[in-house]
Amino acid sequence: MTILDAKKIHKSFGNKFNKQEVLKGIDLSIQKGEFVSIMGASGSGKTTLLNVLSSIDKISSGTIMIEGKEMTSMKEKKLAEFRKNHLGFIFQEYNLLDTLTVKENILLPLSITKTPKKEANQLFDALAKELGILELSNKYPSEISGGQKQRTSAARAFIHKPSIIFADEPTGALDSKSATDLLNKMSELNQKRKATILMVTHDPVAASYCSRVIFIKDGQIYTQLMKGEETRQTFFKDILKTQGVLGGVQNEH
């Protein structure tokens, strides 16, 4: 089942006298339960692509369908409602509210959708246990590590069972152990819960946890790799090779 279907996506910045075309007619579809990453050199358009697909930014032309609903033609109020119910977000900088506890941060999406308290607590307990942060429930963001903050951010994205989760460089601010912990947990949730995840990353290690990697070059899809039955280590090597052909993107931000 197709969760996201984007056709002829164009995105330009500036005006007619000084226009920069960042996305040049991208076609992309994501199936339910896929864990997909988007990679590309700095300036390739990958973050812009994530932003327009996730409704953070508007496209210049084209169509984006999520769960069969065309987001590009939605009015702002309807789009906000759709975003609240169907989309989850994990950002590089956590975006947690300092005045709320770990539990309160995670439960935010459910409080907005007015989920009954008992049901919300059950969902929280199950997810926090899976992500290894249940014992942090009553701590504040200032009292926990970067890795724990990002797992809290991930839990907040997963809690309301969205149609698709958008992750923007989720391991970018983490040390290698915290990054590995997070990626393992995201991979487990993807498999156990059939959660659909679209992640932008510059890190080939992070991308190797995905089932498919899409490479963007100069605002267009350059190529893609499917993991299939490969081990993560073999897939990692394939990703590195493709990066090499693209001119290497290890040092971009």
Side-chain angles (χ1 to χ4, degrees), residues 194-250:
K194 297 287 177 274
T196 309
I197 307 169
L198 181 60
M199 172 174 76
V200 158
T201 184
H202 69 276
D203 181 4
V205 175
S208 70
Y209 282 81
C210 298
S211 51
R212 178 162 59 117
V213 181
I214 297 165
F215 292 88
I216 304 282
K217 184 178 183 182
D218 300 329
Q220 295 177 308
I221 291 179
Y222 173 76
T223 189
Q224 57 180 330
L225 296 176
M226 305 291 290
K227 186 177 186 180
E229 298 301 312
E230 285 186 345
T231 64
R232 196 173 64 75
Q233 287 72 20
T234 306
F235 195 42
F236 169 71
K237 287 175 186 169
D238 290 345
I239 293 165
L240 279 180
K241 274 183 207 161
T242 307
Q243 274 193 330
V245 173
L246 273 169
V249 295
Q250 285 95 322

Side-chain angles (χ1 to χ4, degrees), residues 137-154:
S137 300
N138 297 317
K139 289 192 179 294
Y140 288 89
S142 60
E143 301 174 310
I144 62 177
S145 71
Q148 290 167 334
K149 285 178 188 173
Q150 197 57 301
R151 278 183 277 153
T152 300
S153 177

Side-chain angles (χ1 to χ4, degrees), residues 44-221:
S44 61
K46 64 185 187 303
T47 300
T48 301
L49 179 59
L50 188 85
N51 287 345
V52 297
L53 292 177
S54 63
S55 77
I56 288 172
D57 201 357
K58 289 192 181 332
I59 55 174
S60 300
S61 64
T63 57
I64 300 167
M65 309 267 288
I66 292 182
E67 287 273 32
K69 303 271 194 321
E70 194 188 326
M71 288 176 27
T72 32
S73 60
M74 283 183 190
K75 295 280 188 290
E76 198 52 53
K77 193 177 175 187
K78 197 173 178 189
L79 183 60
E81 190 70 22
F82 183 84
R83 198 184 286 132
K84 185 170 78 179
N85 292 309
H86 292 278
L87 309 183
F89 296 91
I90 307 173
F91 300 100
Q92 183 175 336
E93 298 301 333
Y94 322 127
N95 283 28
L96 300 175
L97 296 176
D98 293 334
T99 54
L100 299 183
T101 63
V102 164
K103 183 174 183 177
E104 288 165 345
N105 266 289
I106 292 169
L107 288 176
L108 265 180
L110 296 184
S111 64
I112 293 168
T113 55
K114 297 183 171 57
T115 304
K117 194 175 179 182
K118 187 180 176 186
E119 186 188 335
N121 283 326
Q122 286 171 343
L123 289 167
F124 168 79
D125 288 346
L127 189 53
K129 203 176 286 180
E130 282 183 75
L131 281 162
I133 50 174
L134 189 58
E135 71 283 0
L136 304 175
S137 300
N138 297 317
K139 289 192 179 294
Y140 288 89
S142 60
E143 301 174 310
I144 62 177
S145 71
Q148 290 167 334
K149 285 178 188 173
Q150 197 57 301
R151 278 183 277 153
T152 300
S153 177
R156 183 184 56 194
F158 280 95
I159 191 86
H160 61 304
K161 299 177 182 171
S163 305
I164 185 166
I165 290 165
F166 295 98
D168 186 5
E169 299 278 12
T171 61
L174 304 179
D175 61 60
S176 57
K177 185 189 179 302
S178 298
T180 301
D181 287 346
L182 177 72
L183 290 160
N184 277 322
K185 296 296 184 188
M186 285 174 68
S187 186
E188 282 169 25
L189 289 169
N190 163 248
Q191 287 161 23
K192 278 188 199 167
R193 296 175 175 237
K194 297 287 177 274
T196 309
I197 307 169
L198 181 60
M199 172 174 76
V200 158
T201 184
H202 69 276
D203 181 4
V205 175
S208 70
Y209 282 81
C210 298
S211 51
R212 178 162 59 117
V213 181
I214 297 165
F215 292 88
I216 304 282
K217 184 178 183 182
D218 300 329
Q220 295 177 308
I221 291 179

